[in-house]
Amino acid sequence: MAALAGVSQSAVSRAFTPGSSIAEAKRQRILEAARRLNYVPNSIASSLTTKRTNIVAVILGNLANPFYVEVLRTFIARLQAQGRQILTFTVDNGADSDEAILRVLRYQVDGVILTSAQLSTRMTSICHDRGIPIVLFNRYIPGSDASGVRCDNTGGGRLMAEAFLAAGARSFAMIKGDPKGTTSQDRVRGFTERLIEAGIARADIGEIEGQSTYDGAFNAVLGAYRRKPERLPDAIFGINDIMAMGAMDALRQRMGLKIPDDVMIGGFDDIPESRRHPYQLTTVRQPVGLMVDEALSILHLDEPAQPIEMGIDRQVPGRLIWRSTIPTPTASSED
Amino acid sequence: MAALAGVSQSAVSRAFTPGSSIAEAKRQRILEAARRLNYVPNSIASSLTTKRTNIVAVILGNLANPFYVEVLRTFIARLQAQGRQILTFTVDNGADSDEAILRVLRYQVDGVILTSAQLSTRMTSICHDRGIPIVLFNRYIPGSDASGVRCDNTGGGRLMAEAFLAAGARSFAMIKGDPKGTTSQDRVRGFTERLIEAGIARADIGEIEGQSTYDGAFNAVLGAYRRKPERLPDAIFGINDIMAMGAMDALRQRMGLKIPDDVMIGGFDDIPESRRHPYQLTTVRQPVGLMVDEALSILHLDEPAQPIEMGIDRQVPGRLIWRSTIPTPTASSED
């Protein structure tokens, strides 16, 4: 193979290794020769000597939430562009990811990305002891030294509270997601704290459980208000967009209510679906691309000799996107 | 490790190997001992002798279409339950998957699932020559001996034509997807053939390009009809649900039309979103679970010694699901 392309064996190896130094023209010549010969380097065998597989594991909770589909798409796009492969695991909502991590460790991955799922502090230690960096995406593990990137979920909850207050709302409900998820907890806390600072009584801040899904929120809203419309608050905060969308459909299509005239709705995430015409949801945008880049920089896959970065908790601010589900107090528009 | 659990080394190996014969109580005892010791078998090293990695590659095109998210979720759930891991690749719409396959081959996968993406016949041969089975999901490669499972897309197109005809439609448009995709081509062909059999003139069957996406269909419908509403046909067939939904939002929210009174809409796939209240789309359901099971049975991962099954073209019928976007000619209902 090396002889046919007129290059050294080490050049062949570099041509197939992401991030290694080789002139682009030479790399193309080697890849073309490889294509002619149907040559494929055996990454499994070479990983035994280099200890690098170019495989990154992504552990995901809930693909029913389009936000995490977007997150997965973005990680795949970035990692594939670097010549890396993605081993994908899903973990049921609420279940912990320890077993997924044990499986990951059998494949000698170069790094682990954990998003939308629970993990024990012990498992993060097991990864670190083996020299495998782990990064938490949009969650944290209290008491753990695992690094992570997340949206400022508490701050985002506060932004939504301020938007409702500015539009004149005085009574509220939150549709909560996974009770064990720090993402849901933080958004709920920021929202509640800001309302209380503004003099809203705790009795005027209701909570319903939406199970992080469209159907969960749809049914929870009907269960809470259909027979007791007098309980309906001025404003409902779906702590993610997909639940806010489920709430909107229940309120409009099944209860005949108008949004925002009869009830205001706010979401969180800014998934593509929330921009569509039936919804036009006012929401807090999470900067997915930036968060993914930060997560990959913590893993520093190109510098495996560097020590694993511990204890980093990078928070990226969300941004309020005004659309049509909360009356805009002043002249505002999207983007 | 074997000594501590009081079992043989081969029992330890079997405990970690999906599908191997070992008593469940013994397996649990070994796994418990492994947990205590933080023992993880090295699958990479053992794969060099067994030639099995328990990794299956899934090559996907378009995750912007929720149907393929559902397909990915179903493959992940089934394969994880078997103790297997999923290496996920995405390929841009319209691009071919040859490079993805070359990457796959570096990781000695046990099988390849290709869905919603193009592949050359040469690449299927390269996989087969290396003993790696490949199965095509919802597409086929003319002239190739690669096996596959697909919905009867031609028959599904016919079903939709019949639904429109029964509701009295006499002029039609199709919103097409990826022009290179056999899925789109077959649905278009079945739909067109059935209309022509019913005496519809070809001039009364229009075509617009929706690029397989919500936004693509939304903009294509506005481009085709907003300034020329007289060209609007009686019925529009979105060859997948996500495009039918984009068309519905354009017609109703931007052109003020009523569905099905002003124009009927039909879709294909039956994604969860199409059942939601703003859409209630009449569509052709693809039986995803059944199709995934058939695809895995063709790969026969548990019997690697069996020869690769070539030339299988398994077609699973779709089913018309009546909702609210086509008037029901007789008393019918969903399920």
Side-chain angles (χ1 to χ4, degrees), chain A residues 16 35 38 40-45 47-48 53-55 63-64 69 72-73 76 80 83-90 102-103 105-108 122 126 130 214 218 242 245 249 253-254 276-279, chain B residues 16 35 38 40-45 47-48 53-55 63-64 69 72-73 76 80 83-90 102-103 105-108 122 126 130 214 218 242 245 249 253-254 276-279:
Chain A
F16 281 96
R35 266 191 289 275
N38 290 346
V40 180
N42 185 338
S43 297
I44 299 285
S47 74
L48 290 179
T53 53
N54 280 318
I55 296 179
L63 277 184
V69 175
L72 177 62
R73 284 171 66 182
I76 291 177
Q80 279 188 186
R84 297 194 163 87
Q85 320 309 328
I86 298 90
L87 210 53
T88 316
F89 295 78
T90 59
L102 281 174
R103 288 187 177 199
L105 292 177
R106 298 171 63 180
Y107 290 93
Q108 206 174 299
R122 179 164 155 270
I126 291 180
R130 289 162 187 266
Y214 173 94
F218 184 94
I242 195 72
M245 288 164 57
D249 285 344
Q253 320 266 351
R254 295 289 280 276
R276 292 181 185 160
H277 278 268
Y279 301 103
Chain B
F16 281 96
R35 266 190 290 274
N38 288 348
V40 180
N42 185 338
S43 297
I44 299 285
S47 74
L48 290 179
T53 53
N54 282 317
I55 296 178
L63 277 183
V69 176
L72 176 61
R73 284 172 65 180
I76 290 177
Q80 278 189 186
R84 296 193 164 88
Q85 320 309 327
I86 299 89
L87 210 52
T88 315
F89 295 78
T90 59
L102 280 175
R103 288 187 177 199
L105 292 177
R106 298 171 63 181
Y107 290 94
Q108 205 171 301
R122 179 165 155 270
I126 291 180
R130 288 163 187 265
Y214 173 93
F218 185 94
I242 194 72
M245 289 165 55
D249 285 343
Q253 320 267 348
R254 296 288 281 275
R276 293 183 185 161
H277 278 267
Y279 302 103

Side-chain angles (χ1 to χ4, degrees), chain B residues 260-271:
Chain B
D261 304 3
D262 297 322
V263 54
M264 307 176 199
I265 300 281
F268 205 117
D269 289 341
D270 194 29
I271 58 177

Side-chain angles (χ1 to χ4, degrees), chain A residues 279-296:
Chain A
Y279 301 103
Q280 290 283 318
L281 181 65
T282 297
T283 188
V284 178
R285 177 179 294 169
Q286 298 202 70
V288 176
L290 179 61
M291 290 164 68
V292 164
D293 289 340
E294 294 277 337
L296 293 176

Side-chain angles (χ1 to χ4, degrees), chain B residues 151-332:
Chain B
C151 187
D152 176 1
N153 290 304
T154 313
R158 296 180 64 90
L159 286 178
M160 189 50 70
E162 284 166 12
F164 283 143
L165 289 166
R170 303 301 293 167
S171 60
F172 304 85
M174 298 173 286
I175 312 177
K176 302 196 297 180
D178 175 10
K180 286 202 269 178
T182 55
T183 309
S184 177
Q185 290 164 8
D186 288 352
R187 292 174 188 175
V188 163
R189 191 175 58 246
F191 185 76
T192 307
E193 282 176 1
R194 184 65 189 84
L195 293 180
I196 286 172
E197 285 170 22
I200 304 295
R202 219 170 245 287
D204 289 324
I205 311 171
E207 297 185 1
I208 52 182
E209 304 282 344
Q211 298 171 306
S212 295
T213 64
Y214 173 93
D215 288 333
F218 185 94
N219 293 325
V221 162
L222 290 184
Y225 305 120
R226 186 155 51 170
R227 297 207 184 136
K228 295 163 188 154
E230 72 281 4
R231 293 200 182 173
L232 200 73
D234 298 336
I236 298 178
F237 174 31
I239 68 95
N240 65 25
D241 283 355
I242 194 72
M243 290 198 293
M245 289 165 55
M248 286 179 73
D249 285 343
L251 293 165
R252 290 195 299 202
Q253 320 267 348
R254 296 288 281 275
M255 294 177 63
L257 296 171
K258 286 196 162 40
I259 297 168
D261 304 3
D262 297 322
V263 54
M264 307 176 199
I265 300 281
F268 205 117
D269 289 341
D270 194 29
I271 58 177
E273 289 81 350
S274 73
R275 298 164 210 168
R276 293 183 185 161
H277 278 267
Y279 302 103
Q280 291 284 319
L281 181 66
T282 298
T283 187
V284 178
R285 178 179 295 169
Q286 298 203 70
V288 176
L290 179 60
M291 290 164 68
V292 164
D293 289 340
E294 294 278 337
L296 293 175
S297 90
I298 288 175
L299 288 183
H300 55 68
L301 298 165
D302 284 329
E303 291 151 338
Q306 295 293 315
I308 291 174
E309 300 198 62
M310 308 264 206
I312 297 175
D313 178 19
R314 216 161 275 170
Q315 288 195 54
V316 179
R319 187 176 136 218
L320 195 75
I321 304 293
W322 287 97
R323 293 199 186 96
S324 69
T325 55
I326 304 178
T328 46
T330 58
S332 302

Side-chain angles (χ1 to χ4, degrees), chain A residues 40 85, chain B residues 56-59 87-89 97-112 127 132:
Chain A
V40 180
Q85 320 309 328
Chain B
V56 176
V58 179
I59 302 177
L87 210 52
T88 315
F89 295 78
S97 306
D98 287 12
E99 199 201 321
I101 294 274
L102 280 175
R103 288 187 177 199
V104 162
L105 292 177
R106 298 171 63 181
Y107 290 94
Q108 205 171 301
V109 297
D110 293 347
V112 175
C127 284
I132 298 171

